[in-house]
Amino acid sequence: MGQAHWGSFAEYVVVRHADINLVGLPDELDHPTAAALGCRFATAFRAVVSQGRVAAGEWVAVHGCGGVGLSAVMIAAASGARVVAVDISPGALELAQRCGATVCLDGGSLTGPGAVAAAVREATGGGAHLSLDALGSHATCVASVESLRRRGRHVQVGLLPAAQGRPALPMDLVIAYELELRGSHGMPAHAYPELLRLVTAGVLRPGDLITRTIGLDEVPDALTTMDRPTTGGMCLIEPR
């Protein structure tokens, strides 16, 4: 797909070490659902389930409801957790609610990471057990850490490019509350069977996150506007 190696929107691409990097898909999986799995849904699955160790009954905060964040909301809710979704887009929050979020917070109406974290702590009765920065910004990273209750777990899944500098994390709080900070990056091919089992069983519905379909001729414009607010959900590219 062009993240770690050269990729393209082509009919055929070279896959290095295909014997271990390709994943066989169940016959009953339709193409849109299969497309929605990578890389956002699979990335969120590992972040929530493997790295975040989500458990039923826990409070999970998801900061940023783009493709990864909405996937995380759906996965956490399906795992039996109560989810607080945070975003500045009304459309994204509406979709997060349909994906199972218990509470939706408009981050645009709150002043800074501290206010966002305070709102999450209030909504969860003391803080989230697990919080994810699914966007990748200094503000969402700090808000995620500050949203946690004692011995809570923060998972950084949104990328934080070095060009943006390094966020100033509240390490005093990390120490005092014995918080756990973990990173999560993608998902290895060998971990897909569990995800595919849940998708084919209908427990997880990544296809529900597709809200827009475009053709190949619309891809350049879509790529150049990825840094702008959207209506929420995933955009599917379909050859025509």
Side-chain angles (χ1 to χ4, degrees):
M1 66 179 181
Q3 182 177 15
H5 303 289
W6 286 107
S8 66
F9 297 103
E11 186 175 358
Y12 299 103
V13 294
V14 174
V15 179
R16 301 185 184 187
H17 307 295
D19 55 331
I20 59 173
N21 285 328
L22 286 181
V23 178
L25 298 177
D27 293 336
E28 60 268 36
L29 207 64
D30 61 81
H31 289 171
T33 299
L37 290 178
C39 70
R40 289 170 286 188
F41 203 88
T43 294
F45 186 81
R46 183 167 185 267
V48 173
V49 176
S50 178
Q51 299 295 84
R53 307 189 308 279
V54 67
E58 288 188 327
W59 277 105
V60 176
V62 178
H63 298 262
C65 293
V68 171
L70 287 171
S71 301
V73 169
M74 179 182 289
I75 293 162
S79 300
R82 294 167 291 176
V83 182
V84 178
V86 185
D87 203 277
I88 62 174
S89 166
L93 291 176
E94 181 182 346
L95 191 50
Q97 187 175 36
R98 296 208 302 265
C99 289
T102 306
V103 179
C104 292
L105 297 177
D106 179 6
S109 66
L110 301 168
T111 308
V116 171
V120 173
R121 292 195 302 270
E122 181 178 358
T124 57
H129 300 86
L130 168 64
S131 185
L132 300 95
D133 174 10
L135 175 65
S137 74
H138 291 197
T140 49
C141 177
V142 171
S144 178
V145 175
E146 293 184 346
S147 296
L148 294 169
R149 64 180 62 203
R150 291 183 181 275
R151 297 193 174 180
R153 311 179 301 281
H154 161 79
V155 177
Q156 186 64 40
V157 59
L159 300 179
L160 289 166
Q164 295 181 0
R166 292 178 175 173
L169 297 180
M171 295 307 294
D172 56 331
L173 190 64
V174 173
I175 296 169
Y177 279 13
E178 296 187 334
L179 303 180
E180 182 179 339
L181 309 184
R182 305 194 74 176
S184 189
H185 184 69
M187 189 168 81
H190 67 75
Y192 270 79
E194 181 185 1
L195 169 59
L196 293 174
R197 177 181 61 80
L198 294 171
V199 172
T200 54
V203 177
L204 298 176
R205 306 172 310 281
D208 290 356
L209 300 179
I210 300 173
T211 56
R212 187 163 66 110
T213 301
I214 63 174
L216 282 173
D217 57 333
E218 300 172 84
V219 169
D221 287 339
L223 290 176
T224 59
T225 57
M226 286 183 67
D227 60 342
R228 302 175 192 173
T230 66
T231 56
M234 295 183 184
C235 176
L236 176 68
I237 301 169
E238 186 176 80
R240 296 172 183 170

